[in-house]
Amino acid sequence: VYELVFETLVKVDELSATDVPTGAGGFTVSNELNALREESYSTVLHYNDKLFHYQLYDWLVSQSCQDKLLQLDTDFILPYLQEKSKSSLEISNLLWIYYSKRSKFLEAAEVLYTLAGSDFKLKLGERIECLSRANGFCNSVCPPSQKQSMVQLADMIQEIFDVAAVQDDLLTLIATDNRVKSDARGELLAHLDGKILPVSDLFNDF
């Protein structure tokens, strides 16, 4: 049944994108088709059923319609993103973007900070980029009630960022140092180009 609803949305999208003659040599979109599309989406988005909404959002992601997902303002979209982000890198990225579009910069920074230290398959450079973005959000304007949390998070980001910078230097050195045997180099690079390691591991192992 849900799939029939989704197919209907696709159809009304196609119809509303169809140009019709104006009678004066031009083309325009029918007002009736636009109204049909608006009514269809309104009916769907106001349907008060969590399972349906979660299936709808999964479908939008599968159709590469993440932009539509981020524009939604329903009671279910944020819980969906929060729940799915725990097991999906793609949804985690959508979650911090969702927060940032709504000027919730502390929450966006927290998601990025968590991503930087997550078990997702991210290269070191991508983790450093997450920390850099998170730090940028910490420097954004926030409500007075969040100021202390912003400062604390910024300190935590800086601490792990400093370790990541050392790890990045090691990665570059090992990749370019001819004294390191090729078979050993591959193993070392595999360990370094991923999760941010404890500083003690960097010092003792590398």
Side-chain angles (χ1 to χ4, degrees):
V1 173
Y2 291 166
E3 289 176 359
L4 288 174
V5 175
F6 303 154
E7 290 171 9
T8 302
L9 292 179
V10 171
K11 190 64 178 178
V12 295
D13 278 339
E14 291 174 351
L15 288 172
S16 65
T18 303
D19 294 334
V20 295
T22 61
F27 293 85
T28 187
V29 177
S30 166
N31 289 333
E32 290 83 358
L33 292 178
N34 269 334
L36 173 64
R37 182 182 183 279
E38 292 300 320
E39 184 179 356
S40 299
Y41 271 92
S42 178
T43 300
V44 165
L45 296 178
H46 286 88
Y47 185 58
N48 189 30
D49 183 271
K50 176 181 176 180
L51 179 60
F52 171 76
H53 277 265
Y54 275 39
Q55 291 289 328
L56 172 63
Y57 306 155
D58 281 342
W59 175 74
L60 287 172
V61 172
S62 71
Q63 299 295 311
S64 299
C65 295
Q66 290 88 340
D67 287 345
K68 284 186 179 180
L69 195 68
L70 292 173
Q71 293 169 8
L72 297 181
D73 187 19
T74 69
D75 293 337
F76 302 100
I77 183 62
L78 182 55
Y80 168 85
L81 293 173
Q82 290 172 331
E83 290 177 28
K84 297 283 186 173
S85 66
K86 297 174 183 177
S87 58
S88 169
L89 175 59
E90 182 179 18
I91 301 300
S92 291
N93 281 315
L94 287 176
L95 179 57
W96 73 258
I97 295 172
Y98 177 88
Y99 279 134
S100 67
K101 284 181 175 293
R102 287 155 180 78
S103 299
K104 295 185 176 182
F105 300 124
L106 174 61
E107 291 84 349
E110 289 173 336
V111 173
L112 285 162
Y113 175 75
T114 301
L115 263 181
S118 71
D119 291 328
F120 289 124
K121 290 185 178 180
L122 290 168
K123 291 189 175 297
L124 179 62
E126 294 172 314
R127 295 175 188 276
I128 291 174
E129 183 179 345
C130 286
L131 292 172
S132 180
R133 287 182 184 273
N135 189 58
F137 284 130
C138 285
N139 292 325
S140 302
V141 177
C142 68
S145 61
Q146 292 184 342
K147 190 64 179 177
Q148 184 176 354
S149 297
M150 279 284 209
V151 172
Q152 291 175 343
L153 181 57
D155 289 342
M156 294 165 59
I157 291 169
Q158 187 59 52
E159 184 176 341
I160 194 172
F161 190 89
D162 290 341
V163 177
V166 173
Q167 186 169 329
D168 192 43
D169 287 342
L170 283 169
L171 186 66
T172 302
L173 287 168
I174 291 174
T176 57
D177 194 331
N178 293 327
R179 295 173 296 175
V180 183
K181 295 180 180 179
S182 58
D183 54 343
R185 177 184 289 113
E187 185 177 346
L188 292 170
L189 295 180
H191 280 296
L192 287 168
D193 198 11
K195 291 192 70 174
I196 300 171
L197 302 174
V199 68
S200 58
D201 289 2
L202 295 176
F203 180 78
N204 294 321
D205 299 342
F206 298 97

